Amino acid sequence: MNKKHIRIAAATAVTAVALGVAAPTAGAVEAVREAKTTSRTAEPLRPTAADVRDLASRMRADGVDQNRIREFEQYAEQLGDPKTQDRILGSGTIIRKLIVAGLRHGGVWAGKIVGKVSKKAGDYLTRNGGKIADAIEDVEGWTETALAVAMVHAGVPTDIATDIAKGIMLVAM
């Protein structure tokens, strides 16, 4: 072996050692990132009975139609009853209504949506919840893309609309 081959072999060995040491470190960093993401999404995203009651009281204070409030209060009662919790009919529809109402009126559960988006999008959502609620209220098939498109058509910047749509879909699922 000549000197050139020895240098290449040495460089290869150093690289292998470096990668062998770096790979577990990179894996650990990735695991920490994943754990942070998981902890943010691991909290229960479905509304609790208390969340729905909080929203209903905010709606009542804002002078919203009593029929809508009654519908939410009935849903809160069902959520509070462990026997019916798994068999609530039409829960997808009520969740959509709750999301729209939460965006309009704020409250604990709306905060969960804000917590799922970037800070920039969360700030925008806090200031423009009514505008976003108007944009998504009549969207037929709720998908991330459909919600984002509806928001962009309503004047929400694309990057913010995309982040908010992701947050909404996390909560709506």
Side-chain angles (χ1 to χ4, degrees):
M1 239 191 229
N2 63 28
K3 288 183 180 182
K4 182 178 175 184
H5 289 186
I6 292 173
R7 275 186 253 169
I8 291 172
T12 303
V14 169
T15 302
V17 169
L19 290 176
V21 172
T25 304
V29 169
E30 188 61 32
V32 168
R33 275 192 203 131
E34 189 175 315
K36 286 181 182 177
T37 303
T38 303
S39 69
R40 281 192 355 211
T41 60
E43 70 181 62
L45 298 178
R46 289 288 183 163
T48 64
D51 294 340
V52 177
R53 286 187 185 102
D54 172 66
L55 179 57
S57 69
R58 289 172 179 277
M59 291 170 68
R60 189 173 288 109
D62 290 345
V64 173
D65 177 35
Q66 288 299 314
N67 291 329
R68 177 63 54 95
I69 294 170
R70 203 167 310 122
E71 178 183 20
F72 288 173
E73 288 173 339
Q74 288 171 349
Y75 183 67
E77 287 176 26
Q78 290 176 332
L79 286 174
D81 183 1
K83 294 176 187 173
T84 62
Q85 201 167 23
D86 293 334
R87 298 178 311 228
I88 298 172
L89 296 175
S91 64
T93 303
I94 193 81
I95 294 295
R96 289 180 183 189
K97 289 178 181 179
L98 286 167
I99 289 171
V100 171
L103 293 173
R104 278 192 209 290
H105 304 285
V108 176
W109 195 53
K112 290 181 182 181
I113 298 171
V114 174
K116 299 299 166 207
V117 299
S118 68
K119 178 162 177 26
K120 178 180 174 184
D123 292 343
Y124 188 91
L125 183 61
T126 301
R127 290 189 315 274
N128 298 287
K131 176 181 183 176
I132 293 167
D134 289 342
I136 67 170
E137 187 168 32
D138 295 324
V139 173
E140 288 289 324
W142 271 32
T143 64
E144 195 173 305
T145 303
L147 292 173
V149 167
M151 285 185 267
V152 169
H153 282 292
V156 178
T158 304
D159 61 328
I160 292 174
T162 303
D163 285 347
I164 293 171
K166 286 178 186 173
I168 289 171
M169 290 309 296
L170 283 172
V171 175
M173 296 180 100

